[in-house]
Amino acid sequence: MPLASSAADTSRAQLIADTALALLAERGLRGLTHRAVDEAAGLPPGSTSNRARTRLALLEAAVRRLAVREAEVLSLPGMPDPVDGPEALAQVIGRALHRSLTGQRELLVARYELALEASRRPELRAAYDAAGRGFREMLVAMMTAAGSTAPERHALSLLAWCEGLMFSCAAGSYHAEVPGPAELGEGAAELLRGMLGR
């Protein structure tokens, strides 16, 4: 019985966090309240506040869930193995960007809302940075495997390129013109060739 209860708790926590992310994308930070999460998730009144007592706790739950869901984009079957070289890494990047932009745009918009709020709230900044650390470490490892002589610097450049492209296509002037995975992969390949000298 305790296992069933634990699974139900996990399921409810995920539902609350997923609903918070959806509300952030749809309504922005002002539209994210405990009551709004209860209503949108179809939960009894007070359910969200029982799980996340404060607004900060709700935002932190959203940040943690965002990291899990974004990691799933990179771990889906069919991804090339980035250790097979720069061209394979470029394909991974192209496919991951395309999946984010076509199937996870809501998550991107929610992430921008959370990132801006983290820039104003140091206590949320800590949670946001902790959630993102795994992605940074993964990029550094990928650049190392691709033969980078400066993996930290190259990971930053690659991340900045990816972030800029995602913002432009999710919320910026290219929002109606999302490139295909091959085009995104070629853009990544051009960047990688410049960094890796190949």
Side-chain angles (χ1 to χ4, degrees), residues 11-89:
S11 178
R12 177 161 291 195
Q14 287 182 1
L15 174 61
I16 288 170
D18 284 337
T19 304
L21 290 170
L23 287 171
L24 282 168
E26 180 188 337
R27 304 178 189 177
L29 278 161
R30 280 194 258 181
L32 179 65
T33 65
H34 288 74
R35 179 182 292 179
V37 173
D38 286 342
E39 290 173 358
L43 294 171
S47 297
T48 300
S49 60
N50 283 338
R51 176 68 55 182
R53 295 270 178 209
T54 64
R55 182 171 177 76
L56 174 62
L58 182 57
L59 291 170
E60 288 174 341
V63 165
R64 288 191 300 271
R65 183 65 179 149
L66 176 68
V68 169
R69 289 182 58 187
E70 288 190 328
E72 289 170 354
V73 173
L74 298 175
S75 62
L76 290 173
M79 284 290 199
D81 190 338
V83 300
D84 287 342
E87 294 302 319
L89 177 55

Side-chain angles (χ1 to χ4, degrees), residues 24 29 59 63 66 108-121 124-125 128-129 163:
L24 282 168
L29 278 161
L59 291 170
V63 165
L66 176 68
L108 290 174
V109 175
R111 176 150 58 87
Y112 301 143
E113 291 282 349
L114 289 165
L116 288 171
E117 185 67 2
S119 72
R120 296 183 285 263
R121 297 183 67 167
L124 184 60
R125 174 91 267 162
Y128 190 90
D129 288 350
E163 292 282 7

